[in-house]
Amino acid sequence: MENNEDIKPSNFIKNIIRKDLAEGKNDGRVHTRFPPEPNGYLHIGHAKSICLNFGVAEEFGGRCNLRFDDTNPLKESVEYVNSIKEDVKWLGFDWGEKEFYASDYFEKFYECAVQLVKDGNAYVDHQSPDEIKENRGTLQEPGKNSPFRDRTPQENEKLLEQMKDGKFADGECVLRAKIDMSSPNINMRDPIIYRISHTKHHRTDEKWCIYPMYDFAHGLEDSIEGVTHSICTLEFEDHRPLYDWFLEKLGVFHPQQIEFARLNLTYTVMSKRKLLTLVQEGYVSGWDDPRMPTIAGLRRRGYTPESIRNFSEMIGVSKANSKVDFAQLEYCIREDLNKKAQRVMVVTDPLKVVITNYPEDKEEMLDAENNPENEADGTRQMPFSRVVYIEKDDFMENPPKKYFRLSPGNEMRLKHAYYIKCEDVIKDENGEIVELHCTYDPKSRGGWTDDGRRVKGTAHWVSVKHAIKAEVRMYEHLFTIDNPDRRKKGEVFTDNVDPESLKVVTAYAEPFLSEVQPMTHYQFLRIGYFTSDKDSKPGKPVFNKTVGLKDTWAKKQASSG
Ligand code: ATP
Ligand code: MG
């Protein structure tokens, strides 16, 4: 899996583009776009779309627009716009000199609507929202024509202007395309073009009180920007005839819509509406809570742009819906951090060890390598003294056979330090172990000797006198089941939230970790990868568990392949 970033496998979308280029379509241009609606933070599914759209443009020497599809002011905000820009940039993509906004085209959309009206392709409908719904029909039954369907173009033009001028209340009427109320494709049954909403927009303020619907606006946005390949998710396959209809009727540049399967991940919900619920109902600390599948959450958790781009490449692009194992995403970050993260020693569940033959006031500095995967990272020095902490589970009083860590009378290696041997187990009045008394072998400095003695177990440790306290946030999946949308009758998806998905631990760490810069990655030896959090203060570091060391995904692949 080395050099993953250099291998760019093909997919059906790239094949379409290659064919278009060979046929000389669009004057040889390749132009894509990533069109988020600024109604929430971006999630890992969006990352797939970002990598695909920007990646394809890059590969074929084209361009990719970042476009905000801001046509629904009720749910949109500047906070979301800013977070989206930050996330796309962080992922490593560049959208050129400016970003695009659907709201910049409101005037143009309106002109197009007027043209549809004039050509007899649209009408103002005064049915109530309920009547419109009622008359739409079902998959089995055709819809019913609106009693307002045969208004003349002149009448419609006047009414549309009145809609725009605020003469009607929300919901009083809508503009609809005049297509076919008995079409087997419900999207073609006179879909709504404009609705009235007396809502302030974060960019156009109170200028407009009618807002265009997605299907009408989206194709026009693509067309105005000269997008050649409009890549979207499968749900829009049934909308494609409508996408095409609007562009044909208006006689404007006609981009090609191509659909692919959206990313779904185990143990994760991906809709922005659900993510908003998690934030609003306090199941998480915010959109960037490290348990969230948002890009901001993954970043805070310790995911790198490289790991996410690599993941997007690995999962590929297809037309078939499926669910990706979360472990595959974890595999990608582990691979990346293995190369990059400095190794450090941190004890998360301490057991005190007194080395009785080590002088009381002696201290020494021992060399420790920073990353065995990368010699250039060099070494650091770790203080050692008479009393150290090891992990509680590196000791067993009554060990089973083949237990190689510490037990009474047994020897174990302290990484980069010495062999120690357990001589005595000290307990309190309740029989709980409070400390171990050990002896060390001074000839094993650095953690080895050449006397042929075999010591199999190796543990990490910190010197009690020198260690600093660190807050470590241990995260598990936010949900208890792999498909959080599976729920019993009467339950909501949040009933599947795991209340124990965050455990905060006070750990003991090497002294240099006292002053960490946020967003620095470490491997806590034998435990996992951790990343310093923005909540860290001088002398009070906070770490987020990014991922454990054990790889479950590659193993599953090996056993199933
Ligand atoms: P959600 O359904 O999660 O609320 P959305 O589709 O409404 O997302 P948009 O802001 O409209 O969100 O999406 C911007 C782009 O990202 C669209 O082109 C959409 O197809 C794509 N996208 C959204 N979710 C996924 C996903 N899970 N996998 C791949 N692409 C996605
Ligand atoms: Mg959407």
Side-chain angles (χ1 to χ4, degrees), residues 27-268:
D27 311 316
R29 287 185 312 115
V30 174
H31 199 156
T32 57
R33 86 289 174 258
F34 172 65
E37 184 184 352
N39 61 350
Y41 279 58
L42 298 180
H43 51 61
I44 182 78
H46 294 116
K48 174 177 178 174
S49 175
I50 293 168
C51 292
L52 177 61
N53 279 293
F54 281 94
V56 155
E58 212 169 86
E59 199 173 329
F60 292 96
R63 314 182 36 164
C64 179
N65 289 359
L66 172 61
R67 179 207 308 147
F68 294 96
D69 204 352
D70 55 348
T71 55
N72 183 5
L74 268 180
K75 294 185 171 171
E76 297 162 3
S77 78
V78 176
E79 179 199 349
Y80 296 142
V81 169
N82 291 337
S83 75
I84 289 169
K85 286 199 264 186
E86 187 183 348
D87 290 348
V88 175
K89 203 175 287 170
W90 178 78
L91 273 177
F93 297 105
D94 179 8
W95 55 85
E97 51 303 338
K98 68 166 197 163
E99 58 265 6
F100 295 81
Y101 292 86
S103 52
D104 284 341
Y105 314 139
F106 280 175
E107 201 68 52
K108 180 83 190 158
F109 294 158
Y110 185 73
E111 284 167 23
C112 289
V114 171
Q115 189 186 329
L116 289 174
V117 164
K118 282 186 170 160
D119 294 343
N121 288 321
Y123 62 97
V124 173
D125 191 352
H126 268 81
Q127 291 183 102
S128 70
D130 282 343
E131 284 166 332
I132 290 179
K133 209 169 152 201
E134 177 77 29
N135 291 333
R136 247 182 125 200
T138 62
L139 283 176
Q140 289 77 34
E141 273 175 65
K144 288 197 194 82
N145 282 357
S146 162
F148 303 97
R149 199 171 194 264
D150 294 321
R151 283 173 157 161
T152 64
Q154 291 75 10
E155 199 180 344
N156 281 318
E157 204 182 332
K158 221 167 82 201
L159 287 168
L160 176 57
E161 194 173 347
Q162 289 173 353
M163 276 174 70
K164 178 183 71 126
D165 290 342
K167 301 277 157 46
F168 299 115
D170 291 8
E172 208 176 325
C173 54
V174 291
L175 182 72
R176 296 179 77 173
K178 194 170 178 176
I179 308 180
D180 179 6
M181 287 307 290
S182 57
S183 169
N185 181 345
I186 295 187
N187 295 305
M188 299 299 273
R189 294 183 189 167
D190 291 10
I192 295 174
I193 295 176
Y194 267 109
R195 68 196 186 285
I196 298 170
S197 174
H198 291 267
T199 308
K200 228 175 158 156
H201 186 282
H202 59 101
R203 291 185 81 244
T204 58
D205 204 58
E206 288 178 345
K207 178 150 192 254
W208 295 88
C209 63
I210 56 171
Y211 291 97
M213 300 301 285
Y214 179 90
D215 285 316
F216 171 65
H218 204 83
L220 278 175
E221 294 159 23
D222 289 340
S223 175
I224 291 166
E225 292 171 16
V227 165
T228 55
H229 299 85
S230 176
I231 303 168
C232 64
T233 42
L234 278 185
E235 322 81 89
F236 291 101
E237 197 162 23
D238 290 343
H239 296 242
R240 189 177 352 118
L242 184 52
Y243 181 99
D244 293 338
W245 188 91
F246 281 125
L247 298 178
E248 263 157 43
K249 291 293 172 202
L250 290 165
V252 292
F253 175 71
H254 195 150
Q256 179 184 3
Q257 177 179 306
I258 307 170
E259 308 86 16
F260 71 101
R262 64 195 293 122
L263 168 66
N264 298 301
L265 262 188
T266 56
Y267 295 100
T268 309

Side-chain angles (χ1 to χ4, degrees), residues 306-361:
E306 293 78 8
S307 67
I308 294 176
R309 291 204 303 263
N310 200 8
F311 172 71
S312 300
E313 201 64 65
M314 271 176 93
I315 56 176
V317 179
S318 91
K319 275 261 182 202
N321 273 316
S322 66
K323 203 163 228 193
V324 173
D325 192 334
F326 199 95
Q328 191 170 353
L329 180 59
E330 294 181 330
Y331 169 86
C332 291
I333 185 61
R334 215 178 269 119
E335 285 282 290
D336 194 36
L337 292 186
N338 183 37
K339 291 177 276 179
K340 294 177 180 165
Q342 177 176 354
R343 274 53 171 172
V344 295
M345 297 210 215
V346 177
V347 174
T348 58
D349 189 12
L351 172 60
K352 194 189 265 184
V353 172
V354 179
I355 302 165
T356 52
N357 61 338
Y358 194 92
E360 292 263 6
D361 44 8

Side-chain angles (χ1 to χ4, degrees), residues 254-479:
H254 195 150
Q256 179 184 3
Q257 177 179 306
I258 307 170
E259 308 86 16
F260 71 101
R262 64 195 293 122
L263 168 66
N264 298 301
L265 262 188
T266 56
Y267 295 100
T268 309
V269 293
M270 207 87 91
S271 102
K272 281 186 276 190
R273 187 176 51 78
K274 286 183 184 155
L275 296 176
L276 181 64
T277 302
L278 291 169
V279 173
Q280 284 179 335
E281 296 183 6
Y283 288 98
V284 294
S285 63
W287 284 97
D288 69 346
D289 185 297
R291 289 165 294 178
M292 290 282 269
T294 51
I295 296 178
L298 290 167
R299 175 166 63 230
R300 192 168 174 192
R301 179 86 176 244
Y303 278 76
T304 57
E306 293 78 8
S307 67
I308 294 176
R309 291 204 303 263
N310 200 8
F311 172 71
S312 300
E313 201 64 65
M314 271 176 93
I315 56 176
V317 179
S318 91
K319 275 261 182 202
N321 273 316
S322 66
K323 203 163 228 193
V324 173
D325 192 334
F326 199 95
Q328 191 170 353
L329 180 59
E330 294 181 330
Y331 169 86
C332 291
I333 185 61
R334 215 178 269 119
E335 285 282 290
D336 194 36
L337 292 186
N338 183 37
K339 291 177 276 179
K340 294 177 180 165
Q342 177 176 354
R343 274 53 171 172
V344 295
M345 297 210 215
V346 177
V347 174
T348 58
D349 189 12
L351 172 60
K352 194 189 265 184
V353 172
V354 179
I355 302 165
T356 52
N357 61 338
Y358 194 92
E360 292 263 6
D361 44 8
K362 184 174 169 177
E363 288 175 19
E364 60 188 313
M365 298 302 282
L366 301 170
D367 283 334
E369 67 197 342
N370 285 329
N371 187 350
E373 300 290 318
N374 187 6
E375 219 169 294
D377 285 350
T379 58
R380 67 187 183 286
Q381 297 220 301
M382 279 187 71
F384 186 81
S385 65
R386 181 181 156 93
V387 187
V388 300
Y389 285 134
I390 62 170
E391 297 285 350
K392 257 188 198 131
D393 66 8
D394 280 332
F395 173 78
M396 269 184 108
E397 196 171 13
N398 301 299
K401 263 189 195 153
K402 300 214 172 166
Y403 180 83
F404 298 121
R405 286 166 284 163
L406 202 58
S407 57
N410 233 353
E411 238 180 348
M412 175 177 77
R413 172 191 290 108
L414 294 180
K415 178 100 177 163
H416 301 315
Y418 293 101
Y419 296 170
I420 57 169
K421 183 175 179 184
C422 178
E423 311 282 358
D424 220 346
V425 181
I426 315 297
K427 297 182 180 172
D428 64 12
E429 63 272 23
N430 302 320
E432 297 283 338
I433 300 172
V434 288
E435 62 184 50
L436 305 177
H437 286 180
C438 294
T439 51
Y440 85 118
D441 175 2
K443 290 197 299 297
S444 62
R445 192 172 195 272
W448 68 284
T449 70
D450 52 12
D451 67 1
R453 196 151 101 242
R454 275 166 66 84
V455 173
K456 274 198 175 163
T458 303
H460 60 279
W461 53 274
V462 288
S463 160
V464 171
K465 199 192 308 183
H466 303 92
I468 55 122
K469 278 189 189 172
E471 177 179 331
V472 178
R473 299 174 182 169
M474 300 286 195
Y475 296 106
E476 300 292 337
H477 291 307
L478 183 55
F479 295 97

